[in-house]
Amino acid sequence: MDPVLKKPFGPPVNMRRAYGEALVALGQSRPDLVVLSADVSNSDHSFMFEARFPDRFINVGIAEQALVDVAVGFAKCGRVPIANTFAFLFATRALEQVRTHLAYGRANVKLAGAYAGLSDSFDGPTHQSINDLAVMRSLPNLTVVVPADPVALDALLPQMCDMDGPVFFRLCRNEVPVVFGEGYRPTLGRAVQLRDGRDLTLIACGVMVAPALEAAESLASQGVQARVVEMHTLKPLDTDMVARCAEETGAIVTVEEHSIIGGLGGAVAEALAAARPAPLERVGIRDQFTESGPYADLLRKYGLAAPDIVQAAQTALRRKENLQRQR
Amino acid sequence: MPKPSGRQAQEGGRPSRSLHRNPTTSMARQKTSQRGLDPLNYSRFWRPIRPDPTRLFDCLPFHDTYAELLRNTETLAYLIRSYTVYSMTCAALGHPGGSFSEAETLAVMYNYVLRHNPREPKWPMRDVFYLSKCHACPGLYAALALFGYFPLRDLKYYGCWGSHLESHPDWLRTPGIEISGGSLGQIPGVGVGRALALRRNGPNHNDRMVYVLVGDGECQEGSVWEAFMAAGHFRLNNLMFLIDNNKVQAKGFVSEDMNIEPLADKLEAFRLDVHEVQNGHDVSELVDVFTVLRQMRRDRPLAVILNTIKGKKVRECEYNPNWHTSAPRNVESAARWLDELWEQDGRRLGIPREFPKALARAIEIVPPLHDNPDQIAEKQA
């Protein structure tokens, strides 16, 4: 059987280029696919689709509300539109259109949120997107997906287009290591266990999957067996997997390139509270705005690197042990 | 435009004939027992002028049919207003001002302009009609019910729990509703997308049209102008914006709250082909304008500014911002409104005097009761 993980990680791949290629591949197999952009096709590399399928590409200009509305019009005609702009703009400027037509009206539109998390690192807090998952997750009927690397994107994008219903997915702007191998076969809505362990579980999404795996290695060298789960679908959340990990490992750490409020950490906290409470540590941006800077430096500064995950894991373990002593 | 004449029809060698019997006069002939009058059985008052509304054909070469078209459409507008009063009073909820200002427009659209099929609401070759000023849906619900998209009796449950007629339209629940909405400014852009997608659907879809009825106050929303800009940019000649220029919004008058004039100049500058209807309550002018526009070659999206009056035909509501949101206070005032409508239109159109009385009697205020908007305002104050 092909391995799920690539060991060691493959050389970094530009996620934007991977997205452009994935769009072109999908455009070949799906004649009903339409790509719309609010003038960001050079940024998110959807220009690759434009070059290949010019009559299925629409630039609506710098007008995010029109972007979502026009995509809804295409969905009404039976097309499968993917609307493209920066992740934060879907969650802010165009949110009302997303709510009314996609969430409430269930228009079959896919939203590609580019430059997610801190990945638009040099454009600063106005462009960085740290609460998009919280916003999107709060909307009924909307599916929320965070592909971790190009392999995940290739596997998940066709599924998002096959399902009949609105989807928001977020994409990193920068180079990311290839985490997954040939054996990675994700299904929307189902978490993927990447590494087994019995002491605690690291649940990660997006570009934080790689540092979570590194943290698990580092914990292993300290004698701690960490299970690692990739939660590519934040909504609907695989609550069974969360409950099982709580049951079997007794402590959980969530890892996301997002605020600790309302994203993966929030979703897992809700699931634990409802199903099986267990100590939970959330690695993410601690309810603050970030700043301009080199991407890797920003991730380190705001507590999103492997050592931060290790530290959070140790805290979670201590809480688990305290709990066991009290019993 | 030249009025078509009966002579033309004769010269064409085609017999001058009615498309169907005038339902109002035939009903009058039946000497219906007034006590047995069921005002929720619309087919006894009115039927569509086009027996098959999926076929677009020109009624105009038949002079007497043109007259009948006008009379029939005016009757429809009268019934839209009357059933709007009925449904709003049953629900103790509604937006009469905007529903009355659009009544003739809806009547002309559904009776003459749109190709649609009430038996198959999602008929793939239909024209698309979007009501962007969604709060004015009581008028649209009445029009759809009169065309048989759903039973007229359902109007009683407008805005009620368990009803398919939401207080603002829900396209997933109501047959004939093309899109959900409520907050303003979000639908013109969908019209742009739909028209753009239709144009790319191939030659079979070339003459399908997308119509979006936009409020004048709604034009204060920035997203409306994103849509206008995109429509002009893409030269969507299969898209028409209808602006219900009724001059009144929730708080006051559009010109005082936030003036949108000169609207025609602005639309022109956005590369729309702008036409104005002098009297948006004159069915004959509306029919003529839409006939001309349909026949015209064009390479731009159309914008038709309809000069209307908010609350038209109920004196209490006309030009009165207080009746933007408010159902008639009680059955008695609804009965007064229905009488007023009959005096102006029903009488001359041959609707029996008993009709508005029977409709008022049919009103049942459906619990749970919504608070009277005035009382809500007092509570909030």
Side-chain angles (χ1 to χ4, degrees):
Chain A
M1 210 178 88
D2 295 322
V4 171
L5 285 176
K6 217 172 179 71
K7 282 181 189 167
F9 296 152
V13 170
N14 185 314
M15 196 66 179
R16 296 191 276 168
R17 168 165 282 281
Y19 175 59
E21 287 166 358
L23 279 182
V24 171
L26 199 59
Q28 282 165 330
S29 62
R30 289 200 77 117
D32 57 355
L33 187 74
V34 178
V35 174
L36 301 101
S37 174
D39 211 42
V40 296
S41 55
N42 283 350
S43 306
D44 63 20
H45 280 45
S46 55
F47 72 83
M48 294 165 73
F49 184 92
E50 180 182 13
R52 185 65 187 275
F53 305 105
D55 57 338
R56 286 198 270 149
F57 179 88
I58 292 113
N59 184 0
V60 298
I62 310 163
E64 290 75 23
Q65 301 177 80
L67 171 72
V68 175
D69 271 350
V70 171
V72 171
F74 273 89
K76 290 263 172 196
C77 281
R79 302 300 187 92
V80 178
I82 301 183
N84 292 268
T85 188
F86 295 164
F88 81 89
L89 285 166
F90 283 126
T92 55
R93 185 75 62 92
L95 180 60
E96 195 178 2
Q97 278 75 7
V98 174
R99 182 208 60 157
T100 305
H101 297 316
L102 273 62
Y104 177 53
R106 299 192 199 187
N108 188 25
V109 174
K110 320 300 170 186
L111 305 174
Y115 286 34
L118 304 182
S119 67
D120 194 6
S121 67
F122 290 108
D123 281 328
T126 57
H127 283 57
Q128 292 159 4
S129 189
I130 60 172
N131 71 332
D132 50 319
L133 297 175
V135 169
M136 294 299 174
R137 216 170 60 74
S138 70
L139 294 172
N141 301 329
L142 199 67
T143 297
V144 181
V145 180
V146 189
D149 76 350
V151 178
L153 180 64
D154 286 345
L156 292 168
L157 188 59
Q159 292 184 38
M160 292 188 257
C161 292
D162 284 345
M163 65 167 279
D164 181 17
V167 180
F168 170 82
F169 62 101
R170 70 180 338 216
L171 296 164
C172 179
R173 175 189 180 278
N174 300 322
E175 295 196 326
V176 298
V178 176
V179 175
F180 299 119
E182 298 291 316
Y184 178 72
R185 303 261 191 279
T187 306
L188 280 183
R190 286 231 196 97
V192 185
Q193 184 174 312
L194 302 177
R195 177 186 176 118
D196 201 9
R198 61 182 194 294
D199 296 330
L200 84 162
T201 306
L202 308 179
I203 302 180
C205 68
V207 297
M208 300 311 290
V209 171
L213 287 163
E214 285 169 28
E217 278 298 327
S218 163
L219 286 164
S221 68
Q222 301 166 25
V224 175
Q225 299 305 317
R227 180 180 292 184
V228 179
V229 168
E230 188 222 6
M231 194 66 78
H232 51 72
T233 308
L234 260 67
K235 191 177 184 181
L237 189 78
D238 188 346
T239 50
D240 290 347
M241 175 67 99
V242 174
R244 195 164 73 241
C245 292
E247 175 79 37
E248 291 171 2
T249 71
I252 291 188
V253 174
T254 56
V255 194
E256 64 196 308
E257 190 191 9
H258 183 271
S259 168
I260 55 170
I261 296 173
L264 177 64
V268 169
E270 289 160 19
L272 290 176
R276 196 188 184 291
L280 168 69
E281 290 294 316
R282 294 165 296 159
V283 173
I285 294 154
R286 307 204 144 266
D287 194 21
Q288 66 188 127
F289 283 106
T290 45
E291 64 195 285
S292 292
Y295 188 37
D297 293 343
L298 280 183
L299 291 177
R300 269 194 295 277
K301 173 164 180 182
Y302 289 93
L304 297 173
D308 304 300
I309 303 169
V310 170
Q311 207 179 351
Q314 286 160 346
T315 309
L317 272 178
R318 268 199 307 278
R319 288 175 58 196
K320 174 185 165 183
E321 283 156 12
N322 286 344
L323 214 59
Q324 284 168 340
R325 265 200 297 278
Q326 284 165 19
R327 287 191 187 124
Chain B
M1 64 166 291
K3 291 274 183 208
S5 69
R7 196 165 48 84
Q8 282 175 321
Q10 283 159 11
E11 278 169 1
R14 301 169 75 175
S16 172
R17 60 183 170 85
S18 297
L19 289 171
H20 64 89
R21 290 177 305 141
N22 181 330
T24 53
T25 48
S26 70
M27 191 201 62
R29 267 191 232 112
Q30 284 170 1
K31 290 187 181 167
T32 314
S33 152
Q34 299 287 292
R35 245 180 314 172
L37 184 73
D38 177 2
L40 299 180
N41 180 6
Y42 74 90
S43 60
R44 295 166 69 190
F45 302 94
W46 175 86
R47 261 177 258 151
I49 189 75
R50 286 177 290 161
D52 178 2
T54 63
R55 279 178 180 273
L56 181 70
F57 63 89
D58 201 346
C59 304
L60 297 182
F62 306 97
H63 180 76
D64 56 345
T65 303
Y66 176 79
E68 198 176 313
L69 168 70
L70 297 188
R71 181 187 176 82
N72 187 284
T73 309
E74 284 175 23
T75 307
L76 175 58
Y78 163 74
L79 291 174
I80 288 173
R81 283 201 180 85
S82 297
Y83 287 115
T84 297
V85 173
Y86 166 78
S87 70
M88 288 188 311
T89 314
C90 290
L93 177 78
H95 291 81
S99 294
F100 294 161
S101 68
E102 72 187 5
E104 279 80 12
T105 306
L106 290 177
V108 172
M109 291 308 292
Y110 278 88
N111 209 28
Y112 179 63
V113 179
L114 291 174
R115 276 162 303 174
H116 62 116
N117 186 354
R119 286 181 297 278
E120 193 189 346
K122 295 190 192 309
W123 176 48
M125 299 311 289
R126 71 193 184 280
D127 292 325
V128 176
F129 179 79
Y130 286 145
L131 180 68
S132 190
K133 35 174 277 180
C134 286
H135 54 271
C137 61
L140 179 57
Y141 289 159
L144 292 173
L146 284 160
F147 272 90
Y149 280 89
F150 48 83
L152 207 49
R153 291 168 191 286
D154 293 2
L155 294 179
K156 176 174 155 189
Y157 301 104
Y158 155 60
C160 277
W161 289 352
S163 157
H164 68 88
L165 299 176
E166 256 296 345
S167 57
H168 291 85
D170 180 350
W171 83 283
L172 293 164
R173 288 161 71 190
T174 310
I177 293 292
E178 294 274 4
I179 192 155
S180 305
S183 65
L184 295 170
Q186 298 195 49
I187 292 176
V190 181
V192 171
R194 188 119 182 204
L196 199 52
L198 280 184
R199 205 168 65 176
R200 292 171 186 222
N201 267 3
N204 288 348
H205 298 266
N206 274 355
D207 65 343
R208 291 179 63 198
M209 285 288 293
V210 178
Y211 300 90
V212 188
L213 181 56
V214 188
D216 53 351
E218 184 177 11
C219 291
Q220 293 161 358
E221 292 277 9
S223 54
V224 169
W225 296 92
E226 287 188 10
F228 289 157
M229 194 185 300
H233 175 81
F234 292 118
R235 296 181 167 272
L236 296 173
N237 59 0
N238 56 347
L239 176 63
M240 184 191 291
F241 294 110
L242 301 150
I243 318 283
D244 186 11
N245 193 18
N246 63 27
K247 290 107 188 151
V248 177
Q249 57 191 97
K251 178 76 170 65
F253 296 91
V254 176
S255 59
E256 292 170 3
D257 285 6
M258 180 52 65
N259 198 354
I260 59 168
E261 294 296 340
L263 183 60
D265 292 348
K266 286 174 183 165
L267 295 172
E268 193 80 50
F270 277 65
R271 300 190 180 186
L272 305 184
D273 187 1
V274 184
H275 299 262
E276 296 190 55
V277 169
Q278 297 306 315
N279 179 359
H281 301 296
D282 179 352
V283 165
S284 124
E285 187 184 351
L286 288 166
V287 165
D288 291 354
V289 165
F290 285 119
T291 304
V292 170
L293 293 182
R294 183 191 286 150
Q295 290 163 349
M296 202 172 68
R297 288 174 66 89
R298 54 182 184 265
D299 64 347
R300 285 180 172 198
L302 291 159
V304 177
I305 301 175
L306 305 152
N307 182 23
T308 57
I309 292 173
K310 188 137 173 171
K312 177 72 178 175
K313 300 213 170 178
V314 172
R315 275 184 291 275
E316 210 178 334
C317 301
E318 282 188 5
Y319 269 131
N320 186 346
N322 293 339
W323 288 98
H324 168 79
T325 309
S326 279
R329 297 283 178 260
N330 47 43
V331 177
E332 292 70 38
S333 75
R336 269 202 314 281
W337 288 18
L338 289 169
D339 282 345
E340 221 179 300
L341 293 172
W342 185 83
E343 289 293 343
Q344 291 171 86
D345 288 331
R347 183 202 295 267
R348 69 183 173 86
L349 293 166
I351 303 286
R353 178 69 189 94
E354 175 60 13
F355 170 72
K357 300 205 173 300
L359 191 57
R361 277 199 304 276
I363 293 172
E364 282 176 62
I365 296 182
V366 180
L369 291 179
H370 300 268
D371 277 340
N372 181 317
D374 289 349
Q375 291 161 3
I376 295 172
E378 281 160 20
K379 276 182 206 161
Q380 284 169 345

